[in-house]
Amino acid sequence: MEHLLSKRITNQRSSRIRELLRVTEQPGMLSMAGGLPAPATFPTELLAAAFARATTRQGPTGPVAWQYGPTEGTARLRQQVAAEHAMPLEQVLVTTGSQQSLDLLARVLCDDGDVIAVEHPTYLGALQAFHLAGATVIGVPGDECGLDTAALEAELRRGLRPKAVYVVVNFHNPTGTTLSADRRRHLVQLADRYDFLVIEDDPYGALRFAGVAPASMGGPAAPVVRLGTASKVLAPGLRVGWMSGPQPVIAAAVRAKQAVDLHTSSVAQLIVAEARAEVAAFGAHLDAARAHYAAQAASLADAVQRHLPGATFARADGGMFLWVDLGVPTEPLLAAAVDRGVAFVPGEAFSAPGADPATVATRARLSFATLTPCELDEATSRLAAAIAAGG
Ligand SMILES: Cc1ncc(COP(=O)(O)O)c(C=O)c1O
């Protein structure tokens, strides 16, 4: 039946990470590959209480949680996001996770071949969403301050005309970097001058355990769509995210979403809204999650220094990942590592089209989120053994 499939899906590669997740289910495997939040951070009591309140909330057509709802999102969650993003309500849309925000944006912005520029390397799920929508994705290099906006400007001067530039602004996946305040300003100037939209994806910003966050680029009149999600701060199984941005873009995304899923699960939206409304308990949960990830990040960084003295990396101030230069090609190393019971994601998995894959060939994304400190130590020692054995 494959001949019946569209060219679009036939050309769509399966996610290397999703494939890896299957391997990591083998017994005894220590996986630093997934981007999954630590189950220990799931606020189950907060969520259970939120569920109980959510399901008793009544609207004009009965219990809001069990009813169809507006495509834009339930009023309660939209209002919270509008307040947090300092945006008018009509510039906010609730989505089925940030992944859906990326999909909707690509659909409403891009005709076949239209360009979306991304930082190289970048989040694989964004590459997949943009590609499936028919966009041409172009990679622009980044460094320890995030997307190199001078390199982007040089490309724009040479004639690059993207519809959008996609950045993961805080604790980038996979590199862990945060886009500096100067570059954020520069990027918005470029967006104004060259007429493109900035997609500011920020799933990890609330997981900052050191340093100070630069301000968001978003605002009522900014050429920026700002994405948020409940996945890393509450639980990804809820599948609730949101975006705010220029009114015509949000209105177009609403029209696209009507065709995609009518609206995001009413019950899931209300659970998120009720949990966030418990300001003290939600704040305490976030503090605990940050403390958990800070300790985890330190454990992995220490283990890498202990077992892989030749490796280079920057210690994380937040998020879930270390982006480690192992000094050897990581794609061929993966099979040997898996044989020894450890998994990671090779840098090349995040390579953006048009960018030089050699710049990420010796990199590995190591997640410190889910393994215990003991397991992180053992995983890193297995990785060192795989490298010592010649990959
Ligand atoms: C940078 C980035 N954007 C978006 C997503 C998708 O998140 P969500 O669960 O909200 O769809 C992820 C998930 O790992 C991510 O790392």
Side-chain angles (χ1 to χ4, degrees):
M1 280 293 162
E2 273 178 11
H3 64 285
L4 297 180
L5 299 177
S6 69
K7 285 198 191 66
R8 207 158 258 192
I9 199 64
T10 306
N11 292 336
Q12 181 83 348
R13 281 184 307 158
S14 175
S15 156
R16 184 100 172 94
I17 299 175
R18 299 252 138 222
E19 282 167 12
L20 260 176
L21 288 178
R22 254 180 268 139
V23 175
T24 61
E25 280 158 19
Q26 291 170 13
M29 181 68 62
L30 293 178
S31 176
M32 298 185 283
L36 312 182
T41 66
F42 294 153
T44 44
E45 281 175 24
L46 180 67
L47 291 172
F51 176 81
R53 282 194 306 281
T55 48
T56 53
R57 200 167 272 281
Q58 294 293 310
T61 57
V64 177
W66 304 129
Q67 192 51 282
Y68 282 118
T71 303
E72 290 83 351
T74 58
R76 200 162 156 75
L77 183 57
R78 266 182 104 203
Q79 280 157 4
Q80 284 179 359
V81 175
E84 183 183 309
H85 288 197
M87 294 289 272
L89 201 60
E90 62 277 12
Q91 289 182 238
V92 173
L93 168 63
V94 177
T95 60
T96 305
S98 287
Q99 189 62 34
Q100 186 181 56
S101 301
L102 295 170
D103 174 56
L104 294 176
L105 286 170
R107 286 173 197 249
V108 304
L109 292 171
C110 293
D111 293 310
D112 277 353
D114 281 348
V115 171
I116 298 185
V118 303
E119 179 178 347
H120 163 73
T122 197
Y123 169 55
L124 186 54
L127 293 177
Q128 286 187 298
F130 300 158
H131 189 239
L132 188 61
T136 298
V137 180
I138 304 279
V140 177
D143 59 23
E144 64 286 353
C145 296
L147 175 80
D148 182 346
T149 51
L152 174 64
E153 183 167 13
E155 290 298 330
L156 294 165
R157 287 215 172 117
R158 273 197 283 275
L160 181 72
R161 287 295 171 268
K163 285 278 185 81
V165 173
Y166 169 72
V167 278
V168 182
V169 279
N170 296 307
F171 315 122
H172 186 282
N173 177 5
T175 66
T177 56
T178 290
L179 187 63
S180 71
D182 284 352
R183 289 196 183 173
R184 290 180 194 218
R185 273 190 293 276
H186 189 198
L187 184 55
V188 173
Q189 282 164 7
L190 293 175
D192 280 330
R193 196 175 325 143
Y194 290 96
D195 193 24
F196 61 80
L197 196 69
V198 176
I199 303 174
E200 174 182 306
D201 189 9
D202 187 18
Y204 302 105
L207 298 181
R208 174 178 284 280
F209 42 77
V212 181
S216 160
M217 291 175 282
V224 176
V225 178
R226 183 176 171 190
L227 314 189
T229 177
S231 289
K232 317 293 173 173
V233 293
L234 284 170
L238 290 161
R239 307 307 305 133
V240 173
W242 45 85
M243 61 167 134
S244 68
Q247 203 275 334
V249 177
I250 298 298
V254 170
R255 292 203 300 282
K257 187 169 163 68
Q258 284 167 0
V260 171
D261 65 356
L262 303 182
H263 64 81
T264 295
S265 156
S266 305
V267 64
Q269 291 185 67
L270 274 182
I271 292 172
V272 172
E274 294 290 346
R276 288 164 49 109
E278 289 301 304
V279 176
F282 182 56
H285 152 66
L286 280 182
D287 286 344
R290 288 185 200 110
H292 179 84
Y293 286 120
Q296 293 285 115
S299 294
L300 178 57
D302 293 347
V304 171
Q305 278 178 340
R306 201 160 36 246
H307 297 295
L308 296 160
T312 52
F313 63 96
R315 280 190 179 247
D317 286 344
M320 297 186 177
F321 305 114
L322 287 191
W323 179 237
V324 181
D325 191 339
L326 293 176
V328 295
T330 50
E331 182 67 44
L333 175 67
L334 181 61
V338 166
D339 282 347
R340 281 170 203 275
V342 59
F344 64 88
V345 188
E348 276 169 51
F350 306 99
S351 206
D356 180 5
T359 57
V360 292
T362 58
R363 293 279 182 166
R365 189 193 75 176
L366 306 184
S367 164
F368 51 77
T370 44
L371 297 182
T372 64
C374 258
E375 288 171 333
L376 287 170
D377 188 75
E378 172 61 20
T380 318
S381 122
R382 290 181 190 179
L383 191 53
I387 295 173

